[in-house]
Amino acid sequence: MNLAQLNVGRLVAPLDAPEMAAFVALLEPINALADDAPGFVWRFTASDTDSAVAYRHDSGDDLLINMSVWRTRQDLWNYVYRTRHLAVLQRRREWFARTVEVHSVMWWVPDGHLPTAAEGMARLARLAEHGPGPDAFTFKDFHEPSGTPA
Amino acid sequence: MTDDLAAVAALHDPVRRVLYDYVAAQGRAVGRNEAAEQAGISRTLAAFHLDKLAEAGLLEVDFMRLTEARPGPGGGRPAKVYRRGTIARTVTLPHRDYEQLAALLAEAVHDTAADDRAVAAAGVAGARLHEPGAWLATLRARGYEPYVDGARVRLRNCPFRQVAQAQPLLVCSMNLALCQGIAGGDATAELDPRPDECCVSFSKNKSH
């Protein structure tokens, strides 16, 4: 099994606005960092040619979706918190609205399965509605593939 | 608590203390021969004490082929090696549990407007610890275990590891502010995280 992760964020301005320029400039190097990270399997892109912008969700203009698949929890953790990605995360308030709604979810997928955006959003909705469980969880309330909490 | 006390008590022996400090400072697996040479004792005695430290959970044991393997029977066998254990040991009498309190506070503060204030408070605390020219000694005294890596100074140990694992964004931001304060004008602290090390590294400023 592989670990899928989705997070959404509401941008403070459209991607082509000047206040988003620093964020847009970081997308490519940070995506490249993920692609080269140990345990990286796949990440969602809007099209084969567009690796910079992940996806714009139908229901909201400035909702940005990030989705990726990793071999293990540790691989994902090391990329998110133990690479230069951490410094970008630290600046999130410059580009993303402070939000109390659930914005990040993880779930297990069979090897070779590449989740769709709709699938990821459904997992996020499940987490928001029912709290963490074997089908939708977080780093903090992690669940192993067997369905037992870590 | 009992296990922690036993583990700490295992360090009472001065030879073990030397062996533990040496292995901890290397940041890699250390073989019995190397440890014995460093402590100035026989290989057999070093092996005895290293195994005692491993039993207490202060060191972790592994087996690997060391470079000096000789040709012939048994020459290429994996050797027993030791690295510092990852479990933190604390003994406080009477019992105190600031780690749990810190974890609860971090949980409450993270992702709220108060987290900027927590980072600012860490910066002020760091600045208070700053003494011109003494930033490395201060980092050492506070358990960061700094070491030189090319042009940079890195930190082998994260003193806040347990809480940082639960709230990395908040704790690493606070730690960066703390380190920036400690370094003052002597060095520039930046977020530069690596697996199993502290999230901050430094470049020395020219005047020092």
Side-chain angles (χ1 to χ4, degrees):
Chain A
M1 299 291 272
N2 287 330
L3 184 64
Q5 196 270 355
L6 169 121
N7 62 279
V8 298
R10 196 165 299 281
L11 300 172
V12 294
L15 276 173
D16 49 8
E19 51 266 57
M20 296 304 295
F23 176 74
V24 171
L26 280 164
L27 277 170
E28 205 178 300
I30 287 300
N31 282 335
L33 191 65
D35 296 350
D36 293 338
F40 172 84
V41 176
W42 170 85
R43 73 183 156 79
F44 188 87
T45 49
S47 73
D48 288 342
T49 51
D50 180 11
S51 66
V53 176
Y55 181 74
R56 202 83 72 96
H57 189 55
D58 308 336
S59 65
D61 278 350
D62 298 318
L63 198 66
L64 202 74
I65 292 187
N66 243 301
M67 187 164 59
S68 53
V69 173
W70 299 78
R71 295 224 177 281
T72 66
R73 179 190 196 273
Q74 195 63 45
D75 290 330
L76 175 58
W77 174 277
N78 282 345
Y79 167 67
V80 174
Y81 296 118
R82 299 279 93 189
T83 66
R84 280 181 291 117
H85 179 265
L86 179 67
V88 180
L89 260 187
Q90 242 197 345
R91 297 179 62 186
R92 67 199 181 285
R93 304 263 169 72
E94 294 176 36
W95 311 305
F96 292 94
R98 205 185 277 275
T99 167
V100 287
E101 58 196 293
V102 176
H103 56 83
S104 175
V105 66
M106 289 168 210
W107 70 101
W108 294 101
V109 294
D111 292 359
H113 176 78
L114 306 179
T116 63
E119 193 181 330
M121 292 304 281
R123 298 284 177 161
L124 191 69
R126 189 188 187 99
L127 177 66
E129 203 175 324
H130 302 290
D135 300 323
F137 47 89
T138 62
F139 271 133
K140 193 170 170 294
D141 296 289
F142 198 76
H143 286 253
E144 295 298 337
S146 57
T148 49
Chain B
M1 176 68 180
T2 315
D3 284 346
D4 283 355
L5 187 57
V8 173
L11 282 173
H12 180 62
D13 184 302
V15 176
R16 279 185 211 160
R17 184 72 189 268
V18 167
L19 288 168
Y20 176 79
D21 286 345
Y22 178 73
V23 172
Q26 304 314 305
R28 58 173 168 82
V30 171
R32 287 170 161 179
N33 284 339
E34 180 187 343
E37 272 170 36
Q38 286 297 321
I41 54 175
S42 75
R43 186 181 185 279
T44 312
L45 188 59
F48 169 78
H49 285 303
L50 287 166
D51 284 337
K52 285 286 174 200
L53 290 168
E55 269 172 43
L58 293 166
L59 297 180
E60 283 169 8
V61 172
D62 204 355
F63 290 88
M64 60 196 284
R65 283 186 171 76
L66 298 175
T67 43
E68 71 267 26
R70 296 171 301 275
R77 256 189 332 175
K80 200 169 185 179
V81 293
Y82 304 82
R83 5 178 116 73
R84 173 163 54 183
T86 49
I87 301 163
R89 302 294 190 176
T90 318
V91 178
T92 46
L93 298 170
H95 186 60
R96 301 283 185 265
D97 191 352
Y98 298 111
E99 191 178 304
Q100 196 195 356
L101 184 66
L104 291 170
L105 288 170
E107 166 86 39
V109 165
H110 97 106
D111 239 20
T112 69
D115 65 0
D116 288 341
R117 272 183 274 157
V119 171
V124 170
R128 220 177 279 139
L129 292 167
H130 174 69
E131 282 175 59
W135 62 286
L136 273 172
T138 305
L139 290 171
R140 215 171 282 126
R142 303 190 71 81
Y144 282 100
E145 301 178 13
Y147 68 98
V148 175
D149 179 28
R152 301 197 71 79
V153 170
R154 296 188 187 281
L155 307 171
R156 186 142 8 245
N157 185 48
C158 167
F160 313 118
R161 184 184 165 103
Q162 265 71 6
V163 186
Q165 292 267 327
Q167 298 295 346
L169 259 179
L170 173 68
V171 178
C172 295
S173 297
M174 290 177 71
N175 185 49
L176 174 65
L178 190 64
C179 287
Q180 283 168 335
I182 289 173
D186 296 340
T188 305
E190 287 166 296
L191 267 193
D192 180 19
R194 295 178 162 197
D196 300 325
E197 287 200 0
C198 174
C199 57
V200 172
S201 75
F202 300 82
S203 57
K204 291 184 199 180
N205 290 345
K206 290 229 161 60
S207 53
H208 289 272

